[in-house]
Amino acid sequence: MAVGRVLRERTAGLFLAAVVVSGFGSSAMRLAAGIWVKSLTGSDALAALALFAVWLPVLFGPLLGAVADRLPRKPLLVGTNITLAVLVTALTTVDSAGRVWLLFTVLVVYGSLAVLMDSAESAVVAGAVAPALLGDFNGLRMTANEGMKLVAPLTGAGLYARYGGGAVALLDAVSFALAACLYALLRVRRTGRPGPAAPGGWTAGVRQLWGSPVLRPLVLAASATMLCAGFNGATLYAVVGDVLGHSPAYAGVLSVAQGIGSVAVGLLAGPLMRRLPGRVFPAAGIAVFGVAVGLRAVPSDAVALTACALIGVGLPCVLIAALTAVQRETPDALLGRTAASADTLMMSPNAVALGIGAGLVARVDVTVLLPAVGAAAVLTAALLLVGRREPVVPAGPRVTAEA
């Protein structure tokens, strides 16, 4: 099986192990940070800003990706994880509202270094995994990330409740230290692709995305889908309370259902991308996501759980397809900038829509809003599917020069 072939690749296996280890600590910290701020300050707004602080650096992805393209990738991955391990250890001193500024500072740096790592990781993967297996690898990576989100937040919350935020910080530090050791074992190879010399500057990644008939429609479709995902996310507590009649804690049950769906599609992504022609895989995923969003307006627990699972199945498809296309179509010298630019373009609409959606939920009935958002996603899928087809240029040969 293709999954077995990916796991037998030494670099791919080590990389996935590093994703699991560091992802566990990161997921635990992201939930605990909000709880930490809330308990120290009593402010819901500041607690919400804790998550925003981690996401903020995504807006500067092209700039950070340019940095990643100019540094050796293996030392960057090792050094960044060591830096993060030391950095989060400083959070053990945050024990009062007066020290919350330190937590926010660390979270912003944390998010910035995460963008750097994501850029370097995309380039490492493109050089280590055969082009035909990139979809399988990215699916497995999605499974690893989503799997950690199912167990790590509960671990972080429990650890915080028993021992405080310092214990969660130490757990995160250990996870980054272990990830650094795994990255140190990598044999990083660069990819060789034919074509003109890569243009310089931090905008080169955006130009690469916009100028590619393969990448542009996928990234635009992913951006539109994540915009819809943000509006959908903003309705979570309204659905739980107004539509289903449960307490806010029930949101955790729905999140688990969505996570299970994402884990499942991650395992199936590679085979599906090989069997479905052209843009059918991402378009089908967006369509499933759109239908599921509309179903969340139905006042039924069974329908809500099914809809959340289907959202977990559908939403990652276009993200996996877009990331795989970036890795296949982008010259090595541009991979960091292009991957970071794609991440910014795809993920920023989610944050924007969450903010706008919070206001809409107060003014528009969710039983009206959700079907409208779902219809917009289905329209996005249709536009992607019927858009002009362009030939895909095969990935060039790989070279074995160690980086």
Side-chain angles (χ1 to χ4, degrees):
M1 292 178 63
V3 170
R5 289 171 61 192
V6 171
L7 294 177
R8 283 194 294 271
E9 291 261 4
R10 181 179 183 275
T11 299
L14 285 171
F15 183 88
L16 284 172
V19 167
V20 170
V21 169
S22 64
F24 184 87
S26 296
S27 295
M29 173 57 75
R30 288 182 183 183
L31 177 65
I35 301 173
W36 202 345
V37 172
K38 169 69 175 177
S39 65
L40 291 177
T41 67
S43 171
D44 290 328
L46 287 176
L49 280 177
L51 181 59
F52 179 74
V54 178
W55 278 96
L56 179 63
V58 172
L59 299 175
F60 305 95
L63 286 170
L64 294 169
V67 174
D69 274 339
R70 285 166 171 76
L71 296 174
R73 284 154 185 164
K74 177 177 174 178
L76 175 60
L77 290 172
V78 175
T80 300
N81 276 277
I82 291 174
T83 301
L84 285 170
V86 174
L87 189 68
V88 298
T89 302
L91 294 180
T92 56
T93 64
V94 179
D95 54 6
S96 66
R99 286 183 173 270
V100 166
W101 66 268
L102 177 59
L103 177 57
F104 278 102
T105 301
V106 169
L107 290 175
V108 171
V109 177
Y110 190 116
S112 300
L113 294 180
V115 174
L116 269 179
M117 283 196 297
D118 285 345
S119 302
E121 287 169 353
S122 293
V124 169
V125 169
V129 180
L133 295 177
L134 281 172
D136 297 274
F137 180 87
N138 290 322
L140 286 174
R141 184 181 180 187
M142 176 68 69
T143 294
N145 279 325
E146 294 301 321
M148 289 303 98
K149 290 177 184 178
L150 290 176
V151 295
L154 293 176
T155 302
L159 198 60
Y160 180 88
R162 181 68 178 84
Y163 298 106
V168 184
L170 290 176
L171 171 67
D172 208 9
V174 170
S175 74
F176 283 124
L178 290 175
C181 293
L182 291 168
Y183 282 126
L185 298 174
L186 293 177
R187 295 172 185 167
V188 181
R189 303 177 187 275
R190 293 190 179 274
T191 57
R193 292 181 175 83
W202 65 270
T203 61
V206 176
R207 294 197 299 271
Q208 170 70 12
L209 290 173
W210 193 254
S212 168
V214 176
L215 301 180
R216 184 175 62 248
L218 284 173
V219 172
L220 289 176
S223 297
T225 304
M226 292 307 293
L227 185 72
C228 294
F231 286 122
N232 175 64
T235 68
L236 175 61
Y237 291 102
V239 168
V240 170
D242 299 341
V243 177
L244 301 178
H246 291 294
S247 70
Y250 193 73
V253 178
L254 299 182
S255 296
V256 169
Q258 182 171 333
I260 291 171
S262 295
V263 168
V265 80
L267 294 172
L268 298 173
L272 287 174
M273 290 175 70
R274 282 189 294 273
R275 286 170 173 77
L276 297 175
R279 302 173 190 168
V280 173
F281 173 71
I286 298 171
V288 168
F289 164 75
V291 171
V293 168
L295 287 174
R296 293 184 70 221
V298 177
S300 163
D301 283 4
V303 173
L305 289 169
T306 302
C308 286
L310 289 175
I311 288 171
V313 169
L315 183 58
C317 294
V318 68
L319 302 177
I320 294 172
L323 176 59
T324 301
V326 166
Q327 292 166 340
R328 286 176 175 167
E329 301 295 322
T330 306
D332 181 83
L334 279 177
L335 259 174
R337 279 165 285 184
T338 305
S341 297
D343 198 41
T344 296
L345 292 171
M346 291 188 295
M347 297 303 176
S348 297
N350 184 64
V352 172
L354 279 169
I356 297 173
L360 280 177
V361 167
R363 294 169 174 82
V364 181
D365 193 308
V366 291
T367 59
V368 175
L369 181 59
L370 285 169
V373 172
V378 172
L379 177 61
T380 299
L383 291 175
L384 177 62
L385 197 59
V386 303
R388 190 177 71 170
R389 301 294 193 275
E390 298 286 350
V392 177
V393 179
R398 299 184 181 277
V399 295
T400 57
E402 294 284 343

